[in-house]
Amino acid sequence: MSRRIITLLAAFVAVLGLTVLVPSTASAAACAAAWNSSSVYTGGMTASHNGRNWQAKWWTQNETPGSAEVWADQGACGGGGGNPNPDPSGFVVSEAQFNQMFPNRNSFYSYSGLTAAMSAYPAFAKTGSDTVRKQEAAAFLANVAHETGGLVHIVEQNTANYPHYCDWSQSYGCPAGQAAYYGRGPIQLSWNFNYKAAGDALGIDLLGNPWRVERESAVAWKTGLWYWNTQSGPGTMTGHNAMVNQAGFGHSIRSINGSLECDGKNPAQVQSRVNNYQRFTQILGVPTGGNLYC
């Protein structure tokens, strides 16, 4: 029913002394991630509490929105349970939260590409409690953020490394060329044997055509999820198992680059990953859990 007809109808029934209920066209804003008493919020970060969105004016922790001056009321919100997300994948990170995590990301790393890729590994961010699922998503994205400079770089920036990623001892060699297996994608897939293994697992010929990882968003995301869900690297468990079994974020770092970063080898790099994880869990409204370092 158009607003003009509703207005005329209301005027008519008013003459008759009746009451008409005019439907509202306004809708509440989507709720931000639910406020968490153990999370740290800095100025500008948002959280939802008791059906309203709140924005932190400055650093705060364990100060309840609505009862502390640090929080500015942003108005009523509704729906989404703190995670407004119409995507049919059911990913625990909404597109709005994804964009908040990666404000300067390369458009190649699309949210739709990520959610499409998740069909290859249905256990990812869908195992355990809601908190565990969000912690796993935050952990994966935190490592990805570090590997790509905030989802900016699609390929490895040090071109001098390119010819070194061909292991000729493998029977299949390097059919795409000696310098073709450089780092690409969200976890910077590199080496001919990793392209072969990822391609075999995903049903894609990445050994013969590694360039697909830098040209197709869903393929790139799939290689990242392949490593996260199936590869322990220099660690003792996959990133997926580290998070769903609550071994801690530190074990995910070890599985990705532990031989170069863990055990005191490069604490600044480890801290960068931890900082990302802490920020992303804040956005999702969940605690970080223990064992953050490796």
Side-chain angles (χ1 to χ4, degrees), residues 154-155 180-189 195 210-211 213-214 223:
I154 301 172
V155 303
Y181 301 100
Y182 50 85
R184 296 179 177 89
I187 294 191
Q188 296 288 281
L189 184 72
Y195 278 90
W211 295 279
V213 182
E214 64 185 85
T223 64

Side-chain angles (χ1 to χ4, degrees), residues 149-193:
L151 288 186
V152 171
H153 302 304
I154 301 172
V155 303
E156 182 176 355
Q157 298 301 289
N158 188 356
T159 57
N161 286 338
Y162 287 15
H164 301 298
Y165 292 126
C166 175
D167 180 2
W168 285 107
S169 69
Q170 303 295 333
S171 60
Y172 42 78
C174 298
Q178 181 170 338
Y181 301 100
Y182 50 85
R184 296 179 177 89
I187 294 191
Q188 296 288 281
L189 184 72
S190 57
W191 288 97
N192 57 329
F193 48 80

Side-chain angles (χ1 to χ4, degrees), residues 233-256:
T236 58
M237 64 188 76
T238 65
H240 171 72
N241 287 337
M243 299 311 297
V244 301
N245 295 328
Q246 300 182 59
F249 178 70
H251 279 287
S252 75
I253 301 174
R254 190 176 292 278
S255 72
I256 292 173

Side-chain angles (χ1 to χ4, degrees), residues 26-273:
S27 59
C31 288
W35 174 74
N36 187 290
S37 61
S38 64
S39 294
V40 171
Y41 298 88
T42 56
M45 293 183 68
T46 58
S48 62
H49 185 65
N50 289 341
R52 303 186 74 79
N53 279 330
W54 303 84
Q55 185 176 63
K57 301 176 185 177
W58 53 80
W59 188 99
T60 178
Q61 184 180 33
N62 198 27
E63 294 182 280
T64 307
S67 62
E69 186 181 355
V70 64
W71 291 103
D73 190 349
Q74 302 296 295
C77 68
N83 182 35
N85 178 25
D87 193 275
S89 71
F91 190 29
V92 292
V93 179
S94 72
E95 186 166 8
Q97 290 167 334
F98 179 75
N99 290 333
Q100 186 180 355
M101 292 172 176
F102 301 102
N104 302 311
R105 67 177 172 84
N106 190 311
S107 60
F108 173 80
Y109 290 113
S110 65
Y111 180 80
S112 60
L114 171 56
T115 55
M118 285 169 53
S119 62
Y121 293 96
F124 169 70
K126 291 186 178 179
T127 304
S129 67
D130 184 64
T131 294
V132 170
R133 295 178 184 197
K134 289 178 179 178
Q135 287 173 335
E136 183 186 6
F140 171 73
L141 293 172
N143 281 298
V144 160
H146 177 81
E147 294 289 315
T148 61
L151 288 186
V152 171
H153 302 304
I154 301 172
V155 303
E156 182 176 355
Q157 298 301 289
N158 188 356
T159 57
N161 286 338
Y162 287 15
H164 301 298
Y165 292 126
C166 175
D167 180 2
W168 285 107
S169 69
Q170 303 295 333
S171 60
Y172 42 78
C174 298
Q178 181 170 338
Y181 301 100
Y182 50 85
R184 296 179 177 89
I187 294 191
Q188 296 288 281
L189 184 72
S190 57
W191 288 97
N192 57 329
F193 48 80
N194 280 326
Y195 278 90
K196 175 72 162 59
D200 288 350
L202 297 168
I204 306 170
D205 179 17
L206 297 181
L207 181 68
N209 189 1
W211 295 279
R212 289 190 64 178
V213 182
E214 64 185 85
R215 295 172 181 168
E216 300 174 44
S217 179
V219 172
W221 281 116
K222 282 181 180 180
T223 64
L225 290 173
W226 165 79
Y227 193 95
W228 179 262
N229 286 277
T230 70
Q231 302 300 298
S232 298
T236 58
M237 64 188 76
T238 65
H240 171 72
N241 287 337
M243 299 311 297
V244 301
N245 295 328
Q246 300 182 59
F249 178 70
H251 279 287
S252 75
I253 301 174
R254 190 176 292 278
S255 72
I256 292 173
N257 208 26
S259 58
L260 296 179
E261 296 180 14
C262 294
D263 303 313
K265 294 172 184 173
N266 202 327
Q269 297 295 306
V270 172
Q271 189 62 55
S272 169
R273 295 179 193 268

